[in-house]
Amino acid sequence: ACVWKYFTAENADKTKVKSNLCELVLSRGKNKNDCSTSSMRKHLFVKHSDTFQPLCTQESEDKASLKTKCISNQPTITDAFAATCPWPQDHPQAKALTRQLMEMIAMDMQPFSIVEDEKIYMKKIHLRVYKEVEKTDQFVISLDIWTSKAIDSYLGITAHWVTEDYVCQQFILAVASFTSNYTAANIQCLLLGVLEKWNITCDKIQLLLHDGGSNVVKTAVDTKLSDATCFLPSLHLVVKEGLSQRAVNDIVLTSKRIVSHFKHLPTAKNRFKEIQAEIGLEEPTRRNTCLYMLERLGEHEHDSGHHLAVHQCQLLKIVQILQPFEEATQLCSADSASISLVIPTIEMLTMSLNSIENGSGVKTMKETLLHEMDLRFRYYAKNPINSIATLLNPCFKNKFFPSDALAKKAISDLAELVDEMIKKDATAQNNTLSIEGGSPKRKRIRKDTETNSFYDAYDICTSTPSETQHEVAEETIQQYLAEPLMKRDECPLSFGKTNTICCPELAKLDRKYLVPPPGTVATERIFKVSSGLTENCYRLLPEKVDKLTFIRVNA
């Protein structure tokens, strides 16, 4: 205010001011929160009237200037209404805001009810996925069933394929809600409805991958689809059976009690941390498997204060037995893993178990694991889907089959497929030539001499190799097997990409047999996203879970 030009505030008491004209001290109020300039203006009016009049004039001019400034900055009616008009959809700012809102809903797992229209977010991603799906006619479909904490059941449907550039593609098609029992008829109805939505006919599905449930197996039979069982659940059952041995089960239960002691008692947990700091051990991380629990317990055996019995300490050697199974699980759970890993994984696990010495308490577990593997895994080496996939993987070829007979059978099956492809190509070529009105030209045979002897024809016929299509197929496979193996960390699809000309049949088969994953891990990962949605929004409707999961995974 202009009045402050004639007064100065007191430093000791903020409620007091001193006049610059007469040095009289005035009070502005009882406390600093209730202070005003009324007493100051009254003092100027009574004691300094000649100064008060210019003050009033200055304040009037300041108010008029401020009013003029506000009026000049106020937008016109046209501008005000134009500012409220929505941007067109192709406007850069509209696109940016749409993208940010979509990311916010998907990343923060928010319900669609926070916006007026959800179609804008689904349409773009749905169109992008649809364009990718439309480019191919060979799909592997993986199915899995999940139940949320809200007791809502879902069928996860994921599509896998390889593009013409030999790049693996994977998209979630739906997390469809179950409204009835898990019967084969209901699963089939739900599956066919989702496939119809994406314009995927059953003749485009080369394999249906599932967890081995009888209802899903019957679904594959009813729809006349080739199917395969997920490898990882079988691997889990093998390990579970090995851990069920009485001696091994005792060590597991004792270990769980020790871990539970430190987990539920704060004093024990704090004391354990102090001992760790004294001996220089790192703080334990959270583990959720039997193998990791036993590994960690072995590291902290002497500082935990809960010693295992001597014979139980010897049983900690089971970690050595379980470690290959953990590595196999990690290998087959990778995003780039294919079904061609199944037979080599089984063979490597068998070799790893046989290389472990029979120690105290370990022999029985080892024998049990080998027996369960033979019982549950013998199917995979005889299944053409697994054997041909392993043979087509340039990292494995025919080196990991359990017997020579199975390797020869796989080579014979692959030769038949190559033979069929050669026949189809020859038929297509002949049909093209007949339509064009021509005939296949024979290659001109070059003669070393210019003689026209009768026996020259005999020499030409006997020197020309006569190969059937089946022999050509076998020769192609033998040449492929004779080449050096690729390194195990290289992408097996790179062979098909670089050999589309010299081995076109094998390259085409790579796109078919190296697509299926070893299990339904991809669908299970999708369920983790859905689980996060239902935990944050417990009352989220199932159809919203499907849409939000679709955006979150495919965005």
Side-chain angles (χ1 to χ4, degrees):
C2 298
V3 71
W4 279 102
K5 294 191 298 183
Y6 307 102
F7 295 89
T8 303
E10 292 288 325
N11 295 329
D13 188 357
K14 298 299 182 182
T15 62
K16 304 292 184 180
V17 292
K18 182 168 62 174
S19 173
N20 296 335
L21 300 176
C22 62
E23 296 186 355
L24 181 66
V25 177
L26 303 176
S27 175
R28 298 178 54 229
K30 294 181 178 180
N31 55 67
K32 60 180 181 180
N33 296 326
D34 297 332
C35 292
S36 65
T37 60
S38 299
S39 59
M40 300 160 60
R41 295 175 62 83
K42 185 176 181 180
H43 175 75
L44 291 176
F45 176 75
V46 175
K47 299 293 184 180
H48 311 284
S49 57
D50 54 338
T51 306
F52 182 74
Q53 187 61 37
L55 174 64
C56 294
T57 304
Q58 181 65 35
E59 288 179 345
S60 300
E61 293 176 355
D62 290 346
K63 289 181 180 180
S65 176
L66 181 61
K67 184 177 180 181
T68 304
K69 185 177 181 181
C70 292
I71 294 175
S72 62
N73 292 336
Q74 184 176 1
T76 62
I77 295 178
T78 305
D79 294 338
F81 278 103
T84 61
C85 294
W87 288 313
Q89 292 186 357
D90 57 347
H91 193 279
Q93 289 179 306
K95 291 181 178 180
L97 287 175
T98 300
R99 179 67 183 177
Q100 292 173 3
L101 283 173
M102 182 177 66
E103 289 179 353
M104 179 194 71
I105 292 176
M107 300 300 291
D108 294 344
M109 300 180 182
Q110 296 290 342
F112 278 118
S113 58
I114 66 172
V115 293
E116 294 180 357
D117 189 5
E118 70 217 42
K119 294 181 180 180
I120 187 174
Y121 304 103
M122 287 289 296
K123 186 176 180 180
K124 291 185 178 180
I125 300 178
H126 188 280
L127 183 61
R128 179 174 63 86
V129 176
Y130 187 83
K131 287 181 179 179
E132 294 293 332
V133 170
E134 200 175 22
K135 294 178 183 178
T136 185
D137 57 356
Q138 292 184 354
F139 296 93
V140 172
I141 302 296
S142 60
L143 302 179
D144 206 351
I145 298 175
W146 168 72
T147 302
S148 69
K149 290 184 177 180
I151 320 299
D152 293 323
S153 300
Y154 299 88
L155 177 68
I157 304 174
T158 309
H160 313 261
W161 70 91
V162 173
T163 65
E164 294 181 354
D165 297 330
Y166 290 84
V167 177
C168 283
Q169 292 283 358
Q170 173 184 297
F171 284 102
I172 172 178
L173 300 182
V175 181
S177 174
F178 264 115
T179 56
S180 54
N181 296 331
Y182 302 155
T183 62
N186 293 334
I187 294 176
Q188 179 181 348
C189 181
L190 208 55
L191 173 63
L192 294 179
V194 172
L195 295 178
E196 183 180 0
K197 174 184 175 183
W198 292 96
N199 196 24
I200 300 176
T201 55
C202 288
D203 60 314
K204 294 182 180 181
I205 301 175
Q206 61 188 33
L207 188 65
L208 186 67
L209 194 64
H210 53 79
D211 59 357
S214 58
N215 51 358
V216 188
V217 173
K218 190 175 187 308
T219 301
V221 174
D222 293 342
T223 52
K224 298 180 181 180
L225 295 175
S226 299
D227 66 307
T229 305
C230 178
F231 170 65
L232 292 176
S234 300
L235 186 65
H236 171 73
L237 291 176
V238 169
V239 177
K240 184 178 180 180
E241 190 65 28
L243 292 174
S244 65
Q245 303 305 306
R246 181 173 180 179
V248 179
N249 192 41
D250 289 343
I251 182 69
V252 173
L253 291 177
T254 305
S255 301
K256 286 183 178 179
R257 285 195 293 268
I258 294 174
V259 173
S260 178
H261 172 76
F262 291 100
K263 184 177 181 180
H264 294 93
L265 292 178
T267 55
K269 181 180 179 181
N270 294 332
R271 177 56 184 158
F272 185 56
K273 289 182 178 181
E274 293 175 1
I275 297 174
Q276 282 183 314
E278 292 175 2
I279 63 178
L281 283 177
E282 59 179 3
E283 186 173 347
T285 56
R286 183 177 180 182
R287 306 292 189 179
N288 56 4
T289 66
C290 178
L291 170 63
Y292 294 152
M293 179 184 67
L294 294 177
E295 281 183 338
R296 204 65 187 179
L297 192 61
E299 294 175 5
H300 296 274
E301 175 188 352
H302 300 292
D303 60 300
S304 64
H306 289 69
H307 299 290
L308 299 172
V310 176
H311 70 280
Q312 290 179 326
C313 290
Q314 296 296 327
L315 283 177
L316 287 176
K317 293 180 181 178
I318 63 176
V319 172
Q320 184 182 2
I321 297 179
L322 294 178
Q323 188 61 45
F325 288 90
E326 166 66 10
E327 293 174 355
T329 302
Q330 296 294 335
L331 176 66
C332 294
S333 300
D335 292 333
S336 59
S338 74
I339 204 170
S340 62
L341 287 168
V342 172
I343 294 178
T345 299
I346 296 172
E347 185 66 15
M348 287 187 290
L349 282 174
T350 304
M351 295 174 64
S352 299
L353 287 176
N354 288 326
S355 64
I356 298 175
E357 297 181 359
N358 294 329
S360 174
V362 177
K363 181 179 179 181
T364 305
M365 180 184 180
K366 174 182 169 181
E367 292 176 351
T368 302
L369 289 172
L370 288 172
H371 172 73
E372 288 295 319
M373 287 177 61
D374 180 64
L375 185 65
R376 298 180 183 275
F377 294 161
R378 64 177 64 170
Y379 155 80
Y380 292 101
K382 298 177 181 179
N383 186 357
I385 295 175
N386 293 276
S387 60
I388 293 176
T390 302
L391 201 60
L392 286 172
N393 192 322
C395 302
F396 306 132
K397 297 185 179 179
N398 59 341
K399 304 295 184 181
F400 289 86
F401 285 88
S403 66
D404 293 337
L406 290 174
K408 291 179 180 178
K409 179 65 169 57
I411 294 174
S412 176
D413 293 341
L414 181 59
E416 291 181 3
L417 292 176
V418 175
D419 188 17
E420 291 178 3
M421 296 183 69
I422 294 175
K423 288 179 181 178
K424 288 181 180 179
D425 293 341
T427 303
Q429 184 178 5
N430 291 335
N431 292 337
T432 303
L433 291 172
S434 62
I435 293 173
E436 294 176 354
S439 59
K441 296 182 179 180
R442 295 181 177 271
K443 291 186 177 180
R444 189 173 180 181
I445 302 175
R446 182 178 179 182
K447 294 184 179 181
D448 294 332
T449 62
E450 296 296 331
T451 61
N452 294 320
S453 171
F454 173 80
Y455 290 100
D456 287 345
Y458 174 83
D459 295 334
I460 293 172
C461 291
T462 55
S463 62
T464 303
S466 177
E467 293 182 336
T468 64
Q469 292 175 342
H470 189 71
E471 290 173 344
V472 172
E474 289 184 346
E475 183 181 355
T476 300
I477 295 173
Q478 293 301 328
Q479 290 177 354
Y480 160 72
L481 295 177
E483 295 180 1
L485 294 176
M486 289 177 57
K487 296 181 179 179
R488 60 184 176 86
D489 56 346
E490 295 184 19
C491 178
L493 288 172
S494 61
F495 173 85
K497 185 176 182 179
T498 56
N499 292 274
T500 52
I501 297 178
C502 61
C503 298
E505 294 82 16
L506 295 181
K508 290 180 181 178
L509 290 173
D510 282 352
R511 292 184 58 195
K512 179 178 180 180
Y513 283 90
L514 297 182
V515 178
T520 58
V521 177
T523 310
E524 292 173 7
R525 290 189 181 127
I526 291 169
F527 287 151
K528 289 186 178 180
V529 177
S530 303
S531 177
L533 288 170
T534 55
E535 287 179 0
N536 292 343
C537 304
Y538 189 76
R539 297 183 179 180
L540 200 62
L541 295 176
E543 55 267 23
K544 300 297 184 182
V545 174
D546 181 15
K547 293 179 181 180
L548 284 171
T549 305
F550 180 85
I551 291 178
R552 179 69 177 85
V553 177
N554 293 329

